[in-house]
Amino acid sequence: MLEITKINRSFGARQVLTDVSFDVPGGRITGFVGRNGAGKTTTMRIVLGVLTADSGEVRLDGALLTPADRRRFGYMPEERGLYPKMPVAEQLVYLARLHGLSQRAARHNTSDLLAKLELSDRAGDKVETLSLGNQQRAQIAAALVHDPQALILDEPFSGLDPLAVDVVLAVLRERAAAGVPVLFSSHQLDIVEQLCDDLVIIAGGTIRAAGPRDELRDRYAGTTYQATFGTDAGWLRDQPGITVRDFDGPNVIFDAGSPEAAQSVLAAAVARGPVLSFSPRRPRLAEIFKEVIQ
């Protein structure tokens, strides 16, 4: 597990991180989201040792990170970082060798990753000749080629089409299943919600929400419910204490002032006929994000 505890950082008089704390469990994929300037990249650079914190700690499996630990991390920056005129496979082997892998292990890992990322047929091509999406896959391969003990990825899905997202996700899930902590930042909230096991939301340099994705959705569910009745739900508009948010024949989404008001709706619906479904409505990540950063 990667543990970030009470990290503070300022640039001159500007405080950019304040008591930033969250965990990145091994075997799970953690999404790190926030607006531009919220503190995501600064936090990740401190984890990687590129920047130092004014105070706070970063630990891996309970031990303070050392430079040797950080050399075993995999990092993908948001900016393109590969040599544009160097062939893809040659570049990956070179990077693996820089991390201490033997020539044989470096070539094996390169071949394996290119196959999994569906880039084998571009192995001999220069990076600059690849499409933006394939350059992104090559960048991800560079972060993985040395078998890192933790993965820090900044906007790894930028420029990828849905099929490419699935290809990259399969590779990341394989690493997570092997016990590797995986942290990635993204502005694409729909992708984060789909891919991540855990979520961390940062705003103004402070953590506003963190935890397992489904627990966060339950925590912010509030008093909004969704239901499907066996008959038209128009009668619900006249139910006291209820505000209908969306209505389409038997399908309805509504706000109830209390759990008791919701139960009164359920009782009234049962009296009118069959109830096909009735449950609290779990908010999407975009809704939680808007609520917690205000």
Side-chain angles (χ1 to χ4, degrees):
M1 176 184 288
L2 193 60
E3 301 167 85
I4 294 92
T5 306
K6 293 188 176 300
I7 295 294
N8 289 277
R9 172 72 196 206
S10 61
F11 293 106
R14 185 168 64 94
Q15 186 79 17
V16 294
L17 297 178
T18 304
D19 288 336
V20 167
S21 299
F22 62 92
D23 296 335
V24 184
R28 296 171 69 83
I29 298 177
T30 300
F32 193 25
V33 299
R35 288 175 170 169
N36 289 334
K40 302 187 301 299
T41 298
T42 300
T43 300
M44 291 190 291
R45 288 178 175 172
I46 287 172
V47 171
L48 291 160
V50 177
L51 292 174
T52 58
D54 296 332
S55 62
E57 296 179 340
V58 183
R59 293 177 177 267
L60 181 65
D61 297 331
L64 285 172
L65 282 180
T66 66
D69 291 326
R70 288 184 165 105
R71 283 194 291 271
R72 291 292 314 280
F73 279 25
Y75 174 51
M76 191 194 112
E78 183 176 5
E79 304 84 7
R80 308 288 182 195
L82 300 180
Y83 301 111
K85 296 188 180 299
M86 194 172 183
V88 175
E90 181 181 337
Q91 187 156 183
L92 295 179
V93 170
Y94 171 72
L95 293 172
R97 295 283 284 146
L98 284 180
H99 280 92
L101 271 66
S102 68
Q103 182 77 11
R104 181 177 180 179
R107 290 188 179 280
H108 173 271
N109 286 6
T110 294
S111 177
D112 181 62
L113 276 169
L114 291 179
K116 288 176 178 175
L117 291 167
E118 299 182 359
L119 282 176
S120 295
D121 60 339
R122 309 306 300 271
D125 295 353
K126 294 179 180 179
V127 170
E128 66 183 1
T129 67
L130 302 180
S131 67
L132 291 179
N134 281 339
Q135 286 186 28
Q136 191 78 343
R137 296 193 208 196
Q139 190 89 24
I140 291 166
L144 294 167
V145 72
H146 58 289
D147 293 326
Q149 62 183 359
L151 272 173
I152 312 292
L153 310 171
D154 200 349
E155 297 287 345
F157 300 102
S158 177
L160 298 182
D161 61 44
L163 292 178
V165 168
D166 290 341
V167 168
V168 171
L169 175 61
V171 173
L172 296 183
R173 287 209 181 281
E174 180 181 65
R175 296 304 172 110
V180 174
V182 179
L183 175 70
F184 80 84
S185 73
S186 180
H187 291 97
Q188 298 164 282
L189 297 183
D190 54 337
I191 290 181
V192 175
E193 184 168 30
Q194 172 192 349
L195 305 186
C196 287
D197 305 299
D198 302 294
L199 296 169
V200 179
I201 301 175
I202 188 170
T206 63
I207 301 301
R208 302 297 179 89
R213 176 191 59 194
D214 291 341
E215 286 186 14
L216 285 178
R217 293 183 68 192
D218 288 339
R219 187 187 311 170
Y220 289 93
T223 56
T224 301
Y225 291 78
Q226 57 189 12
T228 300
F229 304 138
T231 59
D232 189 276
W235 58 270
L236 193 54
R237 298 180 188 275
D238 301 321
Q239 192 78 4
I242 299 300
T243 301
V244 174
R245 295 179 57 180
D246 194 19
F247 167 68
D248 179 18
N251 305 302
V252 64
I253 297 173
F254 65 93
D255 292 329
S258 66
E260 291 75 19
Q263 289 302 311
S264 71
V265 169
L266 178 58
V270 169
R272 285 172 166 80
V275 176
L276 305 182
S277 68
F278 190 96
S279 64
R281 181 178 177 273
R282 302 167 84 194
R284 299 187 62 80
L285 174 57
E287 296 172 271
I288 298 172
F289 182 81
K290 289 176 183 178
E291 179 175 345
V292 302
I293 67 172
Q294 291 177 349

